Amino acid sequence: MEGHGIVVIGLSHHTAPIALREQVAFANGVIEPALRELVTLPGVQEGVIVSTCNRVEVVAYGGDAAAASDAIPEFLGRVHGCGTRELRQALYVHEGREAVRHLFRVAASLDSMVVGEPQILGQLKDQYAVAASLGTSGRVLHRCFHKSFSVAKRVRSETGIAEKAVSVGSAAVELAGGIFERFADKTALLVGAGTMGEVTARQLLARGTGSLLVANRTYARALDVARELGGLPVPFERLARYLPLADLVIGAAAAGPDFLLRRGQVEDAMRERRHRPMFIIDLAVPRAIEPAVQELDGVYVYDIDDLDGVIAENQGARATEALRAEAIVDAEVDAFWRWLEGLDVVPTIVAIRDKVEAIRQRELARHLAALGPVDARQREAIERLTRAIVNKILHAPLTALRGHQAAPGESFYVEAARALFQLGEDAPDAALAAVPVPGDDDEDA
């Protein structure tokens, strides 16, 4: 294990089916108390939770990565009330450089179901902002996450990975194309007017879908999206009443404690529709549509894992761009790791001494040249004098740095010393803080 205690522990569409991912997903209102508990765990001083439809990950930093790696799976199981044995089988653990590399790959969408998709970056920014507002992220994760945002921007601007990406929306439409030969006489019902739902609705409209209904928990948002897409807003509490009109249903709203559409509601709608086929794509995690709905005749239900096969066919076209993106990620991991290693006390003390000694020797040479010839005894006296001055000036700050060496994860004094003495390639944190969170990249939000 490497000495710096960054860990990423989680599961994703690569390691866990949707049934398990929805068990450990963090819904709104749950993530805040979980973050506060996270930073009380052994070995965890900073923490961020990332929870999307395809992944749940805990990113943590502290002085003891091994203790954090032991505590976090128990924490996930306890928070969600699920057995840790099944959970541990699906979890991956990345430590040290591999943890940083994983986060950078996630931000750059290299680990996404749809490589090159832009939504993950906006989701990371949103969830980092929650941790930052609660104070559970500190100097190291602040730097690590903001660096991941800049890596994502660099990958998008320097490779063609985003230009060739198939979207979740287009994959969903392709699935729908297997059910319906034409879309012009079809009505789509969008349930949940977030980014992914809106993208999918746009794809359906681009395919020629005849009309669109938009339902959202916040009616004002439904109104805005319906106006933008030329659809009709629907009151969320009257969703079941409008369901019989829908040939295509896009479930893109988090279900919360209960499903948004249950078998009985869809059964009633199908009866009213005289059993004309209904296509339902459930993009939410936890799922918004009760799985038993797929047992109904004439109802074709797909969830986000069903998109995997459609998307896989598109992966080959982006393989070359992905390789270029991986090279960018590797270079940025190296740069971040040099910064992180610079937070160690000993290299910082050595760097301060080297810098001050170089100044002493330069000034000594300049002034000896101005003095003219001096004998060996005089030169030795001047050497001793200047060394003594340097040692006395450095004694107090270097003693303070050594005093904080015993506090794992304490980086304030080291960072302050490196900034004051202008050591290495550090960029001031203020510069990173200037990178807005979230939504600074309109193209990514």
Side-chain angles (χ1 to χ4, degrees):
M1 181 189 309
E2 297 182 64
H4 296 284
I6 296 183
V7 297
V8 174
I9 298 176
L11 49 78
S12 72
H13 59 104
H14 295 302
T15 63
I18 190 170
L20 180 56
R21 299 204 304 276
E22 63 189 2
Q23 281 186 55
V24 297
F26 286 86
N28 292 337
V30 175
I31 199 167
E32 289 85 356
L35 280 167
R36 292 190 184 96
E37 182 181 347
L38 174 62
V39 292
T40 68
L41 299 180
V44 178
Q45 292 176 325
E46 303 178 24
V48 177
I49 294 174
V50 176
S51 182
T52 73
C53 57
N54 278 329
R55 69 185 64 247
V56 174
E57 294 179 342
V58 175
V59 185
Y61 173 75
D64 189 342
S69 297
D70 282 342
I72 289 171
E74 299 287 342
F75 159 77
L76 287 171
R78 184 171 61 256
V79 168
H80 296 289
C82 56
T84 55
R85 183 175 179 181
E86 182 189 12
L87 191 58
R88 282 184 183 276
Q89 289 176 343
L91 288 176
Y92 42 78
V93 178
H94 299 294
E95 296 180 350
R97 290 174 65 104
E98 282 308 306
V100 176
R101 185 170 185 273
H102 178 79
L103 180 61
F104 288 6
R105 292 186 77 252
V106 169
S109 83
L110 294 172
D111 197 57
S112 295
M113 178 181 284
V114 180
V115 174
E117 55 89 8
Q119 284 82 24
I120 184 63
L121 182 56
Q123 292 167 326
L124 274 187
K125 288 178 175 178
D126 288 344
Q127 295 185 340
Y128 172 75
V130 173
S133 68
L134 294 175
T136 64
S137 65
R139 295 170 185 279
V140 172
L141 292 191
H142 170 83
R143 180 94 176 200
C144 195
F145 269 82
H146 280 85
K147 191 68 176 175
S148 76
F149 304 155
S150 65
V151 170
K153 288 184 69 174
R154 195 179 158 200
V155 165
R156 289 173 67 80
S157 63
E158 295 182 21
T159 74
I161 200 163
E163 295 156 12
K164 297 178 181 178
V166 65
S167 69
V168 167
S170 61
V173 172
E174 193 166 331
L175 279 177
I179 307 300
F180 300 119
E181 291 183 0
R182 61 182 185 278
F183 289 79
D185 59 346
K186 301 297 183 295
T187 295
L189 170 60
L190 172 61
V191 184
T195 302
M196 192 175 292
E198 185 178 341
V199 167
T200 306
R202 286 183 184 277
Q203 292 286 340
L204 282 170
L205 292 172
R207 189 72 174 262
T209 300
S211 56
L212 174 70
L213 306 174
V214 181
N216 196 67
R217 287 191 174 93
T218 306
Y219 186 72
R221 171 66 180 165
L223 197 61
D224 289 343
V225 172
R227 187 181 296 123
E228 174 74 20
L229 300 182
L232 179 70
V234 171
F236 199 77
E237 60 275 14
R238 300 183 65 186
L239 187 60
R241 184 67 195 90
Y242 285 86
L243 188 59
L245 302 176
D247 304 291
L248 306 110
V249 179
I250 309 160
D258 198 5
F259 295 112
L260 297 182
L261 285 179
R262 289 199 159 275
R263 175 184 169 128
Q265 293 171 302
V266 180
E267 200 166 15
D268 290 344
M270 288 300 289
R271 196 175 300 114
E272 193 169 335
R273 287 171 55 80
R274 298 179 186 275
H275 298 283
R276 284 180 290 119
M278 179 184 288
F279 169 88
I280 301 176
I281 179 71
D282 189 349
L283 301 175
V285 178
R287 284 171 286 188
I289 315 296
E290 185 180 13
V293 171
Q294 63 188 347
E295 298 167 1
L296 299 173
D297 290 339
V299 182
Y300 302 88
V301 182
Y302 298 88
D303 62 38
I304 196 155
D305 281 359
D306 293 317
L307 300 179
D308 208 16
V310 178
I311 291 164
E313 296 174 6
N314 187 261
Q315 300 286 4
R318 299 190 304 283
T320 303
E321 298 304 317
L323 287 175
R324 294 179 60 205
E326 297 282 4
I328 292 172
V329 167
D330 288 342
E332 295 289 355
V333 170
D334 288 344
F336 177 82
W337 205 251
R338 285 195 297 275
W339 171 83
L340 188 60
E341 287 183 325
L343 298 183
D344 282 346
V345 169
V346 173
T348 300
I349 290 175
V350 171
I352 290 172
R353 281 206 167 279
D354 287 348
K355 181 157 189 171
V356 176
E357 175 63 13
I359 294 170
R360 186 190 74 82
Q361 291 192 13
R362 189 166 58 247
E363 292 302 310
L364 185 63
R366 190 164 67 88
H367 285 84
L368 284 175
L371 282 174
V374 293
D375 61 31
R377 188 180 60 80
Q378 291 171 321
R379 183 186 180 94
E380 178 58 26
I382 295 171
E383 287 272 4
R384 283 201 304 273
L385 171 66
T386 54
R387 284 200 195 98
I389 292 171
V390 164
N391 287 337
K392 285 185 180 300
I393 291 173
L394 291 182
H395 177 74
L398 296 190
T399 299
L401 278 176
R402 289 191 188 96
H404 288 276
Q405 189 173 11
E410 174 55 73
S411 62
F412 173 78
Y413 286 92
V414 176
E415 284 193 282
R418 298 187 74 85
L420 290 171
F421 285 93
Q422 298 183 327
L423 301 178
E425 55 190 34
D426 283 358
D429 271 0
L432 284 173
V435 180
V437 183
D440 62 337
D441 306 310
D442 292 337
E443 60 181 332
D444 297 323

